[in-house]
Amino acid sequence: MENSKKNSGELFSDETMQYVKDSFYHVDVDLNGRHRLFFDNAGGSFRLKKAVERYAEISASPDCLDRMHDTAVHLQGIQNKGQEDFRMLLNVEGGTVYTALTASKAMFDMVRVITENVAGTNIVTTILEHPSSYDAMELNASRTNRELRVAKSNPVTGGVDVDEVISLVDENTALLSVIYASNISGAKLDVESIVAAARAIKPDLYIIVDAVQHAPHEIIDLKNIPIDGINIAPYKFFGCRGMGLAWLSERAAELPHDKLSGKKSHIWDLGSSDPAQYGMFTEVIDYVCSLATREDQDLKEATRRNQFTAGMQMIALHERALLSRMLNGADGATGLREMENLDVYLDHDDLTKRDLILAINFKKIDPASAVKEYDKQGVTVFERVNTSLYSKRMLESFDLEGAIRVSPLHCHSIEDVDKFLAITQKMANA
């Protein structure tokens, strides 16, 4: 791939763009039929139509999976397929798939079990973690009387440097928890390098990763990244609310944890899982694969992993092209970088190291007021301010009081971006 294409991305064809928009609910209009630009996908993404419909279809069945009749066996197959698809997404084999009501609950459970059962005097995380990760580490450091070591952020890249994380890891570290990408700056952490360097210091170190924000934007490949736990949230990955998905390595899954006494030692699920959620998730995977097979007929004979990888690469390149357009403008549209009375925070030039999330601020309008004005103009964005428990720690690490988070999705077109730029420039010049 040429360097220019790699950094600037590549837009979907017009035909694929229309297919994408037709595949989701409420891309251009809200529940009330009002036309709008929904640029708050980091808070919960557009819902795939087939995923919502599949969820409703399966959830209508009253049958219990733990039975022997045909419908129960059918539902078991749906669950097994969903688990296979999750492992395929991660490119892992074995281990345990664990579902919780939310991805946050799954993260708290993983942190608690590892800290309760693994020896060491300290645990390590980063300042940019979501509260579900950071607070879990802080709480369990206190519970187990361990030192919590926190890697600082890099105000230039908007992420956390590998060396900063690794400087805190030693032979007495019991757990390392890192986020895949910041949900404020969009900066991706170099998880592969972090894991390799950490294991060079302590080969049997337990490592978990929060991939909730990153998963909808780019391929995850754990084949060469030996970690012990990872979580995603389907509602941020084109699916429905109501389930957090986690995967645990075999050794992590075998650690003492809450379980029914009659269940096998590696099982983490308590009670009956929801096959409808798994059916919904499989539809999401089917959709990503369909992006690739529509463009390349040869891929119809490829493995599901290859189809999925190709589809996610298309999403990543399209979103990078949107990000480049938002920052730099083109064809008469002024980019955010060139607008007067506007700051683009944490603006790293290498777009390959960023997901489609921006932090901006108007010089004459505070974030909360700007979000309200955007709403009047038919644009949905979100303010991240240092009075919010979800934002304070991360913003202050960058010496920021607040910012407007702008998070489009691959469902948006170049025309959507240009419309957003025109509205933003009007607000900046007011």
Side-chain angles (χ1 to χ4, degrees):
M1 184 184 300
E2 298 176 359
N3 288 336
S4 59
K5 176 180 173 181
K6 186 176 181 181
N7 195 56
S8 300
E10 182 178 30
L11 293 169
F12 293 146
S13 66
D14 290 344
E15 183 182 49
T16 296
M17 188 72 256
Q18 190 60 55
Y19 169 74
V20 169
K21 287 212 171 196
D22 289 344
S23 296
F24 287 81
Y25 288 111
H26 304 300
V27 176
D28 298 317
V29 296
D30 65 14
L31 286 169
N32 299 312
R34 179 196 182 203
H35 285 272
R36 64 155 180 190
L37 294 174
F38 184 77
F39 280 19
D40 189 25
N41 287 276
S45 76
F46 289 123
R47 305 294 195 254
L48 182 69
K49 290 178 180 178
K50 286 187 176 180
V52 174
E53 293 161 2
R54 184 64 169 152
Y55 177 82
E57 175 190 348
I58 300 170
S59 63
S61 173
D63 298 81
C64 176
L65 277 71
D66 296 326
R67 302 292 187 268
M68 297 177 63
H69 58 267
D70 290 347
T71 300
V73 172
H74 173 66
L75 294 177
Q76 291 165 16
I78 291 171
Q79 176 169 307
N80 292 338
K81 176 63 173 173
Q83 291 184 349
E84 290 173 8
D85 279 335
F86 184 41
R87 287 188 175 92
M88 182 279 298
L89 180 153
L90 301 173
N91 202 16
V92 295
E93 296 180 359
T96 290
V97 174
Y98 168 51
T99 62
L101 185 62
T102 64
S104 296
K105 179 62 167 63
M107 178 57 71
F108 262 83
D109 288 344
M110 289 190 291
V111 171
R112 177 178 60 82
V113 168
I114 293 171
T115 54
E116 285 180 349
N117 294 286
V118 176
T121 60
N122 68 79
I123 58 177
V124 177
T125 191
T126 83
I127 197 69
L128 294 187
E129 302 301 305
H130 186 275
S132 63
S133 303
Y134 188 92
D135 293 0
M137 292 289 281
E138 187 176 55
L139 176 63
N140 285 284
S142 175
R143 282 175 173 171
T144 59
N145 195 30
R146 287 189 172 95
E147 176 190 4
L148 176 62
R149 298 176 177 177
V150 182
K152 299 176 183 177
S153 61
N154 183 326
V156 175
T157 65
V160 181
D161 297 338
V162 174
D163 290 346
E164 170 64 19
V165 177
I166 299 307
S167 68
L168 303 178
V169 175
D170 59 32
E171 293 181 354
N172 293 311
T173 303
L175 172 63
L176 169 62
S177 175
V178 295
I179 195 168
Y180 226 122
S182 168
N183 60 14
I184 287 184
S185 70
K188 294 182 285 188
L189 276 65
D190 187 349
V191 173
E192 183 172 2
S193 295
I194 290 171
V195 171
R199 293 214 179 278
I201 296 171
K202 185 177 181 180
D204 63 347
L205 176 65
Y206 280 78
I207 304 173
I208 57 178
V209 174
D210 174 2
V212 170
Q213 198 64 64
H214 179 61
H217 302 293
E218 197 171 51
I219 300 158
I220 295 174
D221 190 346
L222 299 185
K223 185 175 183 180
N224 298 311
I225 308 177
I227 63 173
D228 293 286
I230 190 168
N231 68 335
I232 71 167
Y235 84 95
K236 291 191 178 183
F237 197 168
F238 326 147
C240 306
R241 289 186 184 272
M243 178 174 70
L245 268 173
W247 174 86
L248 297 106
S249 68
E250 292 178 6
R251 67 169 187 162
E254 292 284 353
L255 291 172
H257 57 275
D258 295 337
K259 63 178 289 294
L260 300 179
S261 59
K263 294 281 188 177
K264 294 181 179 179
S265 59
H266 68 280
I267 300 297
W268 278 50
D269 280 339
L270 289 168
S272 301
S273 57
D274 184 0
Q277 292 282 359
Y278 281 112
M280 168 271 296
F281 184 71
T282 288
E283 289 293 344
V284 170
I285 301 302
D286 285 348
Y287 161 75
V288 175
C289 292
S290 76
L291 292 178
T293 56
R294 284 173 55 85
E295 292 287 321
D296 186 346
Q297 294 296 311
D298 291 339
L299 281 171
K300 289 187 176 181
E301 304 302 320
T303 65
R304 192 161 173 80
R305 173 66 188 181
N306 286 344
Q307 291 176 352
F308 180 78
T309 298
M312 288 305 301
Q313 184 177 39
M314 289 176 62
I315 286 173
L317 287 173
H318 179 76
E319 291 191 346
R320 197 168 301 151
L322 296 181
L323 178 60
S324 178
R325 181 76 159 219
M326 293 180 78
L327 291 169
N328 302 313
D331 302 326
T334 302
L336 297 173
R337 286 170 170 166
E338 302 301 321
M339 290 186 187
E340 296 182 1
N341 301 316
L342 184 92
D343 292 316
V344 182
Y345 295 140
L346 313 167
D347 183 19
H348 192 259
D349 285 338
D350 188 349
L351 302 189
T352 67
K353 296 181 178 179
R354 301 173 61 175
D355 285 337
L356 186 53
I357 298 175
L358 291 126
I360 66 173
N361 210 7
F362 293 94
K363 294 182 178 179
K364 297 181 180 180
I365 317 173
D366 67 89
S369 298
V371 168
K372 291 179 180 179
E373 182 58 32
Y374 267 125
D375 185 58
K376 292 178 182 178
Q377 300 295 326
V379 179
T380 301
V381 289
F382 181 62
E383 73 272 17
R384 303 302 299 260
V385 292
N386 63 0
T387 55
S388 165
L389 67 89
Y390 288 101
S391 308
K392 178 179 176 64
R393 171 176 26 84
M394 295 88 91
L395 286 171
E396 290 182 349
S397 81
F398 296 125
D399 197 27
L400 297 175
E401 293 183 1
I404 303 158
R405 185 179 67 186
V406 183
S407 55
L409 201 64
H410 75 277
C411 303
H412 289 110
S413 65
I414 210 73
E415 291 78 16
D416 295 330
V417 168
D418 287 351
K419 188 182 299 184
F420 170 78
L421 291 175
I423 291 170
T424 301
Q425 185 170 41
K426 179 181 177 182
M427 290 172 59
N429 292 339

